[in-house]
Amino acid sequence: MELLKDLHFFRKVPRDLTEATLAGGGLSLVSTFVMAYLFVTNIMQYLASDYATTIVLDRSVDHRLQINFNVTLPRLPCRFASVDVSDVMGTHLLNVSRNVQKLRIDADKVFLGEAEDRPRDLIFAAAETGDRAAAAAREGKHSSVLVKKVDDFRGVVTGNDLVLVNFYAPWCPWSQRLAPVWEEATDQLSHKPYARAVTMAKVDCTSPDTHDLCVKEHVHAFPTVRIYRDRHPHSQENYVGDRTHGSLLAFMEKNLPEGARDDGARPAPFWEQEDIEVHAGGPEGCIVQGALLVNRVPGNFHISAHSTSHSLHMPHLNLTHTVKHLSFGKALAYDQFAALPDEVARTWNPLHGVTFAPRVENVTMEHYLKVVHTSYEPTPRPSTHISTYQYTIHSHQYEDHEAYPAVVFSYDLSPIQVVVRRERESFAAFLTQICAIVGGVFTITGLIDSIIYHGDRMVRRKMEIGKAI
């Protein structure tokens, strides 16, 4: 036992041999508050966690990359919107429809319906049929009404129960192909018993007198065939059926007004007819959304205007767009996204809600995306790891007079991978800091107390010596 006493590092001094001072008591009180503050802050730091970021070569073994997107184009009709994909390996896909959805909207972004994945292939009249129709027209057969002025147009559509109007452009090859068929159908219509109830008209959108009419009717492509019913000057129906005189006549017979039908039956509702597409009656737009699987190489996907049966009017193409969502990798669940660190979450979908508008006509808008693979590891368990992507964005516009304007998203994958780990201080480090706080504060306080105590004694002694002298 005596040996154990000899090992005592903290020998005790009898209380009678110690001296308490007012300054020492105040200093002890201050040191107690300092220790309590440091103790609480260190506990909070121990309970909290921090993020450690490291950079490594990309460890992904996937050969394909998923792109998730939702883009709103308020001035491009869905029937002309095409999603195309290309990359440096030679991949070039047009009008991708798998896992891509197109939603039609009006000028107020009200949902009008879902567009077809791919417009159906139309049947066109054979070339010789068109030649015969053109010859018949030259021989004085009945021809369609040519609308030369805006007032003439209003008189035609309000003066007849059913009117089909062909908005065309003489330079358009599709309009040229439809023209003789249109005239042939008009001539055959004149011999039908219901001829007085139906009128076929045409409008040259390149004419200065009717150009404003085509703009007012929101004609974006040629030829556009509109259907006007019940003497109403406004139309919300496009004819999208086959372009043969037989198809046109069959369509008119199926949509005759009640008084012109032999059986007195009503025509089938327009929403049940596949030859009719309901349009907004004003500017029509499209929401293009979905997911693409692309090669893990530099490339791009773009939304452009395409049609296999129309010539698009480039000055009227407006590709103003709003990016609602654009991310890379597998779609994250809400709880996964909420778990991401703020700096990762901010660059996961940085284009959210951003609108881009062209400065002039016929402009292609390109967004260059630098994509970095990112892994977030909240715990050492692999099941909790989240694999996602971050990207930076640079946008610009340019005029391309050789092609239709487009919205281009060019992407390039970085060869590095960012690994973000959530780390927490170990208990041993926390205990070491607590001991350092207690010991350090006691040591510093003891030094200050010693300086104050001995300084005060020295001053008092000198004062006593001075009085004695």
Side-chain angles (χ1 to χ4, degrees):
M1 297 298 293
E2 293 297 328
L3 179 61
L4 188 60
K5 287 183 179 181
D6 292 338
L7 294 176
H8 188 192
F9 294 153
F10 310 101
R11 304 282 178 111
K12 298 297 185 289
V13 179
R15 186 177 182 85
D16 295 341
L17 299 179
T18 60
E19 180 181 358
T21 62
L22 183 61
L27 193 59
S28 298
L29 184 61
V30 171
S31 66
T32 302
F33 283 116
V34 171
M35 282 191 292
Y37 169 74
L38 294 177
F39 184 73
V40 171
T41 55
N42 271 268
I43 290 179
M44 294 176 61
Q45 183 178 357
Y46 170 71
L47 296 177
S49 59
D50 199 4
Y51 298 107
T53 302
T54 57
I55 297 177
V56 298
L57 285 176
D58 194 351
R59 297 176 294 194
S60 177
V61 296
D62 296 330
H63 299 291
R64 308 276 279 176
L65 174 66
Q66 181 172 315
I67 303 177
N68 314 291
F69 64 95
N70 182 313
V71 181
T72 300
L73 299 100
R75 295 302 180 90
L76 181 66
C78 284
R79 64 181 179 276
F80 302 135
S82 174
V83 179
D84 308 328
V85 177
S86 61
D87 61 37
V88 297
M89 294 181 65
T91 301
H92 191 66
L93 304 176
L94 295 177
N95 199 13
V96 178
S97 58
R98 184 175 183 180
N99 298 325
V100 175
Q101 186 180 36
K102 300 173 185 176
L103 306 177
R104 300 172 57 218
I105 57 174
D106 63 11
D108 298 323
K109 298 183 179 180
V110 176
F111 176 66
L112 299 177
E114 185 174 350
E116 296 179 351
D117 293 338
R118 288 179 177 270
R120 66 186 183 91
D121 295 329
L122 300 182
I123 299 176
F124 300 90
E128 59 270 20
T129 303
D131 294 339
R132 288 199 304 269
R138 289 193 295 269
E139 293 173 1
K141 298 295 181 72
H142 288 84
S143 60
S144 59
V145 178
L146 176 61
V147 177
K148 296 182 178 180
K149 295 182 180 179
V150 177
D151 294 338
D152 296 341
F153 173 79
R154 189 175 183 87
V156 170
V157 298
T158 58
N160 298 273
D161 294 325
L162 178 63
V163 182
L164 270 68
V165 181
N166 173 20
F167 294 90
Y168 72 98
W171 53 262
C172 166
W174 299 107
S175 296
Q176 296 170 8
R177 190 170 182 178
L178 177 63
V181 178
W182 192 263
E183 298 304 328
E184 182 178 356
T186 303
D187 180 65
Q188 293 189 12
L189 173 65
S190 65
H191 299 94
K192 299 291 183 181
Y194 51 80
R196 292 185 178 182
V198 183
T199 299
M200 297 181 70
K202 57 186 178 183
V203 178
D204 181 1
C205 290
T206 62
S207 171
D209 295 329
T210 54
H211 177 267
D212 291 342
L213 172 63
C214 296
V215 174
K216 181 182 178 182
E217 294 294 317
H218 301 282
V219 176
H220 300 281
F222 308 116
T224 294
V225 179
R226 290 277 167 83
I227 306 163
Y228 296 84
R229 301 177 187 268
D230 303 326
R231 303 176 185 268
H232 200 280
H234 301 291
S235 169
Q236 291 187 333
E237 301 173 51
N238 288 328
Y239 173 76
V240 293
D242 296 331
R243 295 178 186 173
T244 64
H245 69 278
S247 298
L248 290 169
L249 288 175
F251 174 80
M252 288 183 283
E253 291 178 359
K254 188 167 56 176
N255 287 273
L256 288 174
E258 292 184 41
R261 298 175 65 95
D262 295 336
D263 55 5
R266 294 183 178 182
F270 59 84
W271 58 84
E272 295 181 359
Q273 302 186 45
E274 63 177 7
D275 292 339
I276 296 179
E277 178 190 64
V278 180
H279 69 91
E284 184 174 324
C286 188
I287 298 176
V288 184
Q289 63 183 10
L292 300 172
L293 277 178
V294 300
N295 296 319
R296 292 181 62 89
V297 296
N300 72 76
F301 77 94
H302 50 276
I303 303 173
S304 57
H306 281 305
S307 178
T308 57
S309 57
H310 297 82
S311 294
L312 304 179
H313 193 196
M314 294 179 66
H316 289 178
L317 292 178
N318 185 341
L319 294 188
T320 296
H321 59 283
T322 301
V323 181
K324 296 294 183 66
H325 182 87
L326 180 60
S327 65
F328 294 82
K330 294 182 180 179
L332 298 181
Y334 177 78
D335 56 340
Q336 290 179 311
F337 176 75
L340 293 177
D342 291 341
E343 59 270 19
V344 176
R346 282 194 298 268
T347 53
W348 176 71
N349 180 25
L351 282 176
H352 173 70
V354 182
T355 299
F356 300 89
R359 294 187 295 267
V360 294
E361 294 179 348
N362 195 28
V363 166
T364 290
M365 288 172 281
E366 183 172 11
H367 310 290
Y368 182 76
L369 315 174
K370 191 67 174 180
V371 185
V372 181
H373 187 196
T374 303
S375 297
Y376 173 54
E377 302 177 359
T379 68
R381 298 194 308 273
S383 60
T384 63
H385 297 178
I386 301 174
S387 178
T388 185
Y389 291 82
Q390 305 176 81
Y391 65 89
T392 58
I393 174 74
H394 299 281
S395 304
H396 70 107
Q397 303 181 10
Y398 60 89
E399 297 183 52
D400 187 355
H401 299 286
E402 298 181 357
Y404 290 128
V407 178
V408 182
F409 297 91
S410 299
Y411 53 87
D412 185 14
L413 277 77
S414 173
I416 64 173
Q417 177 179 351
V418 177
V419 180
V420 182
R421 292 186 177 91
R422 189 174 184 179
E423 296 183 345
R424 177 172 291 176
E425 187 179 26
S426 66
F427 181 76
F430 167 71
L431 191 60
T432 301
Q433 291 182 359
I434 294 299
C435 293
I437 290 171
V438 175
V441 171
F442 264 110
T443 301
I444 297 299
T445 304
L447 289 174
I448 296 175
D449 179 68
S450 178
I451 292 173
I452 294 174
Y453 176 75
H454 291 290
D456 179 67
R457 285 182 59 109
M458 185 180 298
V459 171
R460 288 177 181 275
R461 187 177 301 146
K462 287 185 177 181
M463 291 177 64
E464 292 176 355
I465 293 173
K467 287 180 179 181
I469 294 174

